[in-house]
């Protein structure tokens, strides 16, 4: 029983260290962002980052999903271009990928 208590304390310690580290990184990011000029190159890059990260994460999934994934992606892009609504594009894309997968694409 004593070993289990030591293990529990170690796990709790690791969780606390990770929590403090996460908080410190977030706080540091806010401090750094607040000190940047709004018209600087770093600020312009960071405004583009969400789109770049989205593309980087999505491309792998789209390509590994085969033809059904590509159909879903194309439908999502078309829906987003027409409606400008993220949730409509996501729903249409997932629905198209599901339908394409169900018919064997």
């Amino acid at each position: 029983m004593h070993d289990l208590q030591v293990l529990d304390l170690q796990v709790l310690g690791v969780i606390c260290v990770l929590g403090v580290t996460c908080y410190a990184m977030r706080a540091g990011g806010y401090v750094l962002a607040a000190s940047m000029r709004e018209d600087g190159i770093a600020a312009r890059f960071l405004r583009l980052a969400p789109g770049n990260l989205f593309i980087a994460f999505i491309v792998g999934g789209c390509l590994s999903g085969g033809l059904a994934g590509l159909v879903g992606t194309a439908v999502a892009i078309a829906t987003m271009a027409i409606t400008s609504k993220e949730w409509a594009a996501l729903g249409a894309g997932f629905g198209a990928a599901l339908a394409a997968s169900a018919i064997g694409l």
Side-chain angles (χ1 to χ4, degrees):
M1 186 69 175
H2 179 68
D3 290 337
L4 185 59
Q5 290 174 342
V6 171
L7 181 62
D8 288 345
L9 288 176
Q10 289 174 340
V11 170
L12 183 61
V14 168
I15 290 171
C16 288
V17 168
L18 287 173
V20 168
T21 303
C22 180
Y23 178 78
M25 290 182 71
R26 276 188 172 259
Y30 284 121
V31 169
L32 183 63
S35 67
M36 289 179 12
R37 291 184 4 200
E38 287 188 34
D39 61 344
I41 191 166
R44 286 186 296 189
F45 173 75
L46 289 175
R47 280 194 291 275
L48 295 174
N52 295 337
L53 292 173
F54 178 76
I55 296 294
F57 285 119
I58 294 302
V59 167
C62 293
L63 295 177
S64 69
L67 189 55
L70 292 175
V71 167
T73 302
V75 169
I77 290 171
T79 305
M80 185 66 187
I82 293 168
T83 66
S84 297
K85 304 282 186 202
E86 293 88 1
W87 290 108
L90 284 171
F94 284 131
L98 181 65
S101 179
I103 62 172
L105 292 181

